[in-house]
Amino acid sequence: MINQDLKEALNEKIEEGEFDVVDIPAYLTLFCEMGTEVEELQEEVEGWERRINFELAGANAHWIIIEDGQFSTGEGALEDANLVLKLDAINAAQVFAGDMDAKAAYMSGALKVEGELPDAVKMQTLIEIVGEEIEY
């Protein structure tokens, strides 16, 4: 179930330019709630099962697991991740808020990818869909 209060709070922070590193755990929680509930996200991950680490310089690491159409997240790092996205926590917040393009971050070297590049592209697509759902 999608926490509408969390969705509204994050939307407000993003719209006001106040979304920051401290909001990343809440964003990832909402990301996973939406991933499990929103049909467009479900269609995007059909048959795609991944374990993803976010190594964030200047903040705690986080992970997302997508398995059988279910999304989960937590703090720390998974030992057996399929995809590792390494970037500065401030840049991660900007990507999640839609203020920085992940492809541009990758091309500039601000985002480093360990794993298959198509998986990173799919993550960007998922982030964009979540952004549309948050309505920013």
Side-chain angles (χ1 to χ4, degrees):
M1 189 163 144
I2 298 171
N3 180 332
Q4 293 300 320
D5 291 337
L6 177 58
K7 180 180 172 184
E8 290 173 20
L10 289 177
N11 176 286
E12 188 174 313
K13 284 188 158 210
I14 290 167
E15 295 233 341
E16 294 178 6
E18 297 176 0
F19 185 86
D20 202 359
V21 172
V22 297
D23 300 307
I24 290 174
Y27 170 87
L28 292 174
T29 296
L30 183 62
F31 180 98
C32 288
E33 290 173 3
M34 289 183 165
T36 300
E37 299 284 330
V38 173
E39 185 176 334
E40 187 177 0
L41 289 163
Q42 283 290 296
E43 289 171 3
E44 192 67 38
V45 300
E46 189 174 336
W48 192 69
E49 301 195 357
R50 297 294 183 274
R51 300 170 64 83
I52 302 154
N53 281 340
F54 295 91
E55 291 184 10
L56 308 174
N60 294 332
H62 292 274
W63 53 264
I64 290 178
I65 296 174
I66 303 169
E67 189 172 77
D68 296 325
Q70 299 296 305
F71 288 59
S72 58
T73 188
E75 192 172 305
L78 301 168
E79 288 184 22
D80 54 350
N82 308 94
L83 178 65
V84 179
L85 303 173
K86 297 180 178 185
L87 67 164
D88 184 274
I90 293 169
N91 290 339
Q94 291 175 336
V95 168
F96 295 147
D99 294 332
M100 176 184 281
D101 180 68
K103 286 181 198 146
Y106 176 75
M107 296 302 284
S108 72
L111 168 62
K112 298 200 180 348
V113 175
E114 290 181 6
E116 299 295 323
L117 203 50
D119 288 345
V121 172
K122 183 167 296 270
M123 266 310 295
Q124 178 185 3
T125 300
L126 298 176
I127 290 167
E128 289 169 355
I129 294 169
V130 167
E132 292 168 8
E133 290 292 322
I134 294 175
E135 299 174 353
Y136 59 79

